[in-house]
Amino acid sequence: MAKDNATPVYFDDATGTLVSADERIELRPKTYAVAKFLAAHPQQVCSKEAIMNAVWENSFVEDQAVFQSINEIRRKFAPTAVIQTYPRRGYAWLLPTTTQPAIQLQAQTQTAIKSSIKSSKPRWLFLSILVAVLLGSVTIGWFSFVDTGERSSRLQEGPRFKATEHQALMVLPTDTAALTNDDRGLGFGALQTVLQRLPSDSNRTVFQASDVLDIMDRKPAAKPTDYFAVSGATQIISSRLSGVPGEYSLLFTVWQRDGAQRHGVLHGGTLEQVISDYTEALMLQLFGELARPHRGTSTLLTTTLTHRAMTLLAKGETHAAIPYLESAVLEHPEEPMQRFLLARSYLQLSQAESALPHIEAGLTALDALPPQSLRGRLLYLKGVALMGNNLPAASHFLSAAQEAAEAQQDWLYHAYAKAMLGQVLIQQQRFSEAEPLLAESLRYQQLLNCPLGIVQGHLDYFDFYFAQGNTVKAQAELQIAEQVVRERDLVVVQKAIEEYKNKLLKS
């Protein structure tokens, strides 16, 4: 299939471009991933489903996404034939590849990278360093859009908003108030990242960061749509980040001047991945194919319910979020992420019996999907749910969760599983076996720089010493945890700290 005399293609992961015949070819990130997947399987016909599972593993998009990527690759290489279509079977890559770029192209790449670094502002360096520290956390990517408002039925006719006037897009800085102090300054950095990656379009003006800040200074706004009155924007995008390293959530809404809305929900292990998926989601919505939570399934009600639930969970209003999650599960029962969110919410309210059916249903749904880190997380929840009445079974599922999390490099839940196994051993008074697990879990949380995890790690040590009657060491661990809470302003765990204090006073 590959032509022996054709110029080999080099995939430059550093820049996300292809090099062929001394020419550098730029592609969208997902299109680059499609090309690389096909080229990694020479002499093979890759089905559309295989491409979607490889490139959009934890996202769900329409078949049109593959078609558009294939067409983009062909346009970039024209008139050279690069991909052959096999009707009803798939696609095959035709060109040879190489792992060694030409020397002159290496020099060009290095020059371009150096130039980019020199032109970057300090805030970019800060964002890059912070994101790099968080690498290693596994990502669960899932995003969707839904329409609400008077135009919802018409918007479902195609992947883009339909409008005859010139479009003007205003992306607001991401709200990071729900994050810890260390991460709250990333709202503007996220805005810069998104704006840099959005493509230019002659039919759409994209307000730059300085324009956005100038508009925001004109008038205090109670809600994002207030900015329509003081700007020429036809679309406004607002977003909110919450969570901890290894488990971030980003909620966003695309507001239309006429009142229509589209909501999106993303989950990711690192800030870099969440912001990257956020940009990709906006590109799909505004410039290309429409993303969906599940192929072939209506998503209007499901995603609206999930978006509302996640908004409440970010505020700590678990009781209020559960009805929305229950409704979302009824509307879309085969979606494991929603099952996970619902089960976790029930466990936060100590309602293990209500959580278990959703855990089982989520695990069953994952059997039909490619391996992903959500399995380890659901196994972890199952182990926690069983700790109240069946310690041996809890230990079994927590061990399985630890293994699954390690296999998927989900280090956050790998640490969680170790800590809960340690708690099981504490209840069984097997202290010499519990301590190494608690120590390793705390080290993982420190490496992830997860303040809530670090606090919980010291509280686990409180339980360890308290169960042995060593109140002096238990108090020392509590003081460390309390210090982290004060320094990081972790009001969400202040109640737990007070409960531990009362426990110590009663001893």
Side-chain angles (χ1 to χ4, degrees):
M1 296 170 59
K3 300 178 180 179
D4 294 336
N5 60 347
T7 302
V9 177
Y10 171 67
F11 285 82
D12 187 351
D13 291 339
T15 60
T17 59
L18 282 65
V19 179
S20 177
D22 292 340
E23 179 184 359
R24 189 169 294 278
I25 300 172
E26 296 185 359
L27 299 170
R28 291 182 302 151
K30 291 298 185 185
T31 303
Y32 177 85
V34 170
K36 189 170 182 180
F37 175 75
L38 291 173
H41 299 80
Q43 310 295 327
Q44 294 183 31
V45 178
C46 299
S47 68
K48 177 179 60 183
E49 190 69 23
I51 296 171
M52 296 180 81
N53 288 336
V55 177
W56 289 274
E57 178 183 351
N58 295 311
S59 308
F60 295 89
V61 297
E62 292 181 344
D63 297 349
Q64 188 67 19
V66 176
F67 301 148
Q68 290 187 359
S69 291
I70 295 294
N71 289 335
E72 181 181 348
I73 296 168
R74 283 173 170 160
R75 286 197 306 270
K76 294 288 186 175
F77 276 87
T80 302
V82 59
I83 296 174
Q84 182 171 344
T85 299
Y86 289 82
R88 299 186 180 182
R89 293 180 57 198
Y91 305 92
W93 185 266
L94 299 179
L95 301 180
T97 60
T98 178
T99 58
Q100 297 294 329
I103 295 177
Q104 63 270 29
L105 288 172
Q106 284 185 345
Q108 292 173 8
T109 300
Q110 292 171 358
T111 301
I113 292 174
K114 289 178 181 178
S115 175
S116 175
I117 292 174
K118 289 179 180 179
S119 63
S120 297
K121 297 182 179 180
R123 64 171 67 94
W124 284 103
L125 179 60
F126 166 77
L127 179 61
S128 300
I129 293 173
L130 179 59
V131 166
V133 172
L134 300 175
L135 290 178
S137 301
V138 72
T139 297
I140 300 178
W142 177 83
F143 62 85
S144 59
F145 289 98
V146 296
D147 299 327
T148 57
E150 298 176 356
R151 296 179 60 216
S152 60
S153 60
R154 183 163 65 88
L155 287 172
Q156 292 180 25
E157 296 174 1
R160 308 184 186 197
F161 282 117
K162 307 296 184 182
T164 56
E165 61 181 292
H166 181 83
Q167 298 291 295
L169 174 65
M170 178 177 173
V171 183
L172 298 176
T174 299
D175 180 357
T176 58
L179 298 179
T180 61
N181 283 337
D182 287 353
D183 296 335
R184 287 180 186 170
L186 294 178
F188 185 75
L191 169 62
Q192 289 275 50
T193 302
V194 170
L195 292 179
Q196 184 189 49
R197 297 180 186 175
L198 286 179
S200 59
D201 189 329
S202 59
N203 295 320
R204 180 183 282 104
T205 297
V206 179
F207 294 171
Q208 296 306 300
S210 58
D211 303 326
V212 173
L213 295 180
D214 180 59
I215 292 170
M216 293 177 69
D217 287 340
R218 295 177 189 175
K219 176 185 176 182
K223 54 185 183 296
T225 51
D226 290 344
Y227 291 117
F228 282 124
V230 292
S231 72
T234 58
Q235 295 168 321
I236 292 177
I237 299 173
S238 61
S239 57
R240 177 184 175 88
L241 258 173
S242 62
V244 298
E247 196 168 25
Y248 288 107
S249 295
L250 188 145
L251 311 179
F252 64 96
T253 301
V254 180
W255 308 87
Q256 196 78 346
R257 181 178 282 274
D258 64 4
Q261 305 169 28
R262 289 188 173 220
H263 298 298
V265 182
L266 296 127
H267 303 285
T270 68
L271 290 170
E272 181 186 53
Q273 185 62 49
V274 172
I275 293 171
S276 176
D277 286 350
Y278 177 35
T279 308
E280 182 73 17
L282 294 182
M283 289 174 63
L284 288 168
Q285 162 56 27
L286 301 169
F287 300 94
E289 62 269 23
L290 176 65
R292 306 173 67 167
H294 199 334
R295 301 176 198 127
T297 304
S298 173
T299 66
L300 173 59
L301 179 59
T302 304
T303 310
T304 301
L305 292 168
T306 304
H307 186 275
R308 291 177 179 175
M310 292 298 298
T311 301
L312 292 167
L313 289 174
K315 298 177 182 178
E317 300 177 17
T318 307
H319 279 287
I322 282 180
Y324 290 109
L325 288 172
E326 286 278 16
S327 299
V329 165
L330 288 174
E331 180 72 14
H332 196 174
E334 68 274 25
E335 173 53 57
M337 174 58 76
Q338 292 162 345
R339 296 280 190 180
F340 168 78
L341 294 172
L342 182 56
R344 188 179 63 177
S345 298
Y346 275 127
L347 287 177
Q348 289 174 350
L349 300 176
S350 301
Q351 298 178 23
E353 291 301 318
S354 298
L356 280 168
H358 296 292
I359 295 172
E360 295 294 349
L363 289 169
T364 300
L366 285 174
D367 289 339
L369 299 174
Q372 54 182 276
S373 57
L374 198 55
R375 178 174 296 279
R377 298 188 174 202
L378 283 166
L379 289 170
Y380 167 81
L381 293 185
K382 187 171 183 179
V384 172
L386 294 172
M387 284 184 65
N389 56 17
N390 192 337
L391 286 180
S395 180
H396 168 77
F397 286 107
L398 288 170
S399 296
Q402 179 184 326
E403 293 176 4
E406 184 175 12
Q408 291 294 320
Q409 297 184 331
D410 184 358
W411 304 121
L412 180 66
Y413 274 76
H414 183 67
Y416 284 171
K418 283 182 178 293
M420 294 309 295
L421 280 170
Q423 288 285 355
V424 170
L425 293 170
I426 289 172
Q427 292 187 42
Q428 296 173 333
Q429 297 189 338
R430 296 160 61 183
F431 300 113
S432 61
E433 298 174 60
E435 198 280 332
L437 291 173
L438 299 182
E440 191 169 357
S441 175
L442 181 56
R443 281 197 295 270
Y444 272 114
Q445 298 291 4
Q446 290 169 337
L447 287 172
L448 289 170
N449 193 27
C450 178
L452 290 175
I454 293 170
V455 169
Q456 187 57 58
H458 287 291
L459 294 181
D460 288 336
Y461 263 108
F462 175 99
D463 294 331
F464 174 76
Y465 289 121
F466 190 83
Q468 298 176 76
N470 191 335
T471 56
V472 175
K473 288 190 174 182
Q475 185 175 18
E477 295 294 336
L478 180 58
Q479 289 174 345
I480 296 174
E482 190 173 14
Q483 181 180 354
V484 176
V485 170
R486 286 197 305 269
E487 292 175 350
R488 302 294 188 94
D489 192 24
L490 303 177
V491 293
V492 69
V493 292
Q494 188 60 52
K495 183 178 179 181
I497 293 293
E498 295 302 322
E499 290 176 354
Y500 273 86
K501 285 183 178 180
N502 293 333
K503 186 177 181 179
L504 197 60
L505 289 173
K506 294 177 181 178
S507 63

